[in-house]
């Protein structure tokens, strides 16, 4: 159970309507390395962690990833707000418009729908935490590439914030992995 504070983790502003950027950003909404995949991965993996600290960490980061999903959704919504159908088509979002109008839909930047296959859960804490570190590093890299694709300082500010949170998550997972590996090496795990 969580207490939900109805405000975004970071204020989301955009300088202009930018359909191309919205098209690129949607990958962090419904792509394989996006926020939905991360949130569901961590909230699922927490059940097989061998100690309360690791379980709590996955719960906390999974919940934060849901907040990041809201931030990305807000960015995309603001970037497409007021766009005409022709502008959507010109930006390569014609098929999205045909299926969803301007509504958000879980896809990657190429329009491939989200799938549960994006979620990894081996049931082995060492394997899962190592994969979680890699997932956070992929997300960090994606945020950097998204930063490189825009010149809107408001969008860049939000993307830098999200990139930094991915770095923190990677560090926390590294710490948890070290602790779990110690448990495994002293036979406290199995």
């Amino acid at each position: 159970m969580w207490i939900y504070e109805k405000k975004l983790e970071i204020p989301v502003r955009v300088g202009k309507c930018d359909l191309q950027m919205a098209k690129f950003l949607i990958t962090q909404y419904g792509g394989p390395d996006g926020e939905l995949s991360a949130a569901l991965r961590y909230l699922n993996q927490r059940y097989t962690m061998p100690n309360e600290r690791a379980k709590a960490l996955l719960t906390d980061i999974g919940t934060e990833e849901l907040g990041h999903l809201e931030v990305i959704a807000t960015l995309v919504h603001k970037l497409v707000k007021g766009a005409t159908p022709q502008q959507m088509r010109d930006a390569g979002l014609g098929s999205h418009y045909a299926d969803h109008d301007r509504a958000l839909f879980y896809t990657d930047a190429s329009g491939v729908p989200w799938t549960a296959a994006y979620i990894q859960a081996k049931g082995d804490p060492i394997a899962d935490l190592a994969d979680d570190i890699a997932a956070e590093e992929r997300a960090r890299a994606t945020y950097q590439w998204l930063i490189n694709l825009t010149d809107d300082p408001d969008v860049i500010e939000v993307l830098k914030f999200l990139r930094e949170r991915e770095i923190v998550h990677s560090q926390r997972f590294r710490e948890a992995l070290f602790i779990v590996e110690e448990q495994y090496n002293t036979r406290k795990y199995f």
Side-chain angles (χ1 to χ4, degrees), residues 39-112:
L40 295 177
R41 169 194 315 255
Y42 307 148
L43 293 173
N44 187 53
Q45 288 176 353
R46 67 187 170 165
Y47 293 102
T48 56
M49 288 295 129
N51 62 57
E52 292 304 313
R53 184 173 174 186
K55 288 177 186 178
L57 177 68
L58 284 161
T59 301
D60 290 347
I61 293 177
T63 304
E64 184 177 346
E65 299 290 8
L66 290 172
H68 294 174
L69 188 68
E70 286 184 297
V71 170
I72 292 296
T74 303
L75 269 174
V76 172
H77 172 74
K78 288 183 174 189
L79 288 167
V80 301
K81 189 174 182 178
T84 67
Q86 186 60 48
Q87 289 171 321
M88 296 283 286
R89 184 178 183 171
D90 292 346
L93 292 167
S95 53
H96 179 91
Y97 179 81
D99 288 336
H100 310 290
D101 191 356
R102 288 168 208 83
L104 286 122
F105 190 74
Y106 295 108
T107 68
D108 67 12
S110 300
V112 176

Side-chain angles (χ1 to χ4, degrees), residues 49-51 53-54 124-127 129 173-190:
M49 288 295 129
N51 62 57
R53 184 173 174 186
D124 177 88
I126 294 172
L129 288 168
F173 285 138
R174 289 171 200 274
E175 293 164 4
L177 179 59
F178 179 78
I179 292 167
V180 168
E181 285 176 330
E182 280 190 332
Q183 282 183 290
Y184 175 75
N185 289 334
T186 59
R187 305 246 181 239
K188 291 180 188 173
Y189 174 67
F190 289 108

Side-chain angles (χ1 to χ4, degrees), residues 10-16 21 25 71 75 78-79 147 150-162:
I10 182 171
V12 174
R13 293 178 289 280
V14 300
K16 61 185 179 208
M21 193 61 197
L25 275 171
V71 170
L75 269 174
K78 288 183 174 189
L79 288 167
I147 289 166
T150 186
D151 60 358
D152 185 328
D154 292 324
V155 173
I156 290 171
E157 178 183 352
V158 174
L159 295 177
K160 282 183 174 180
F161 171 82
L162 293 169

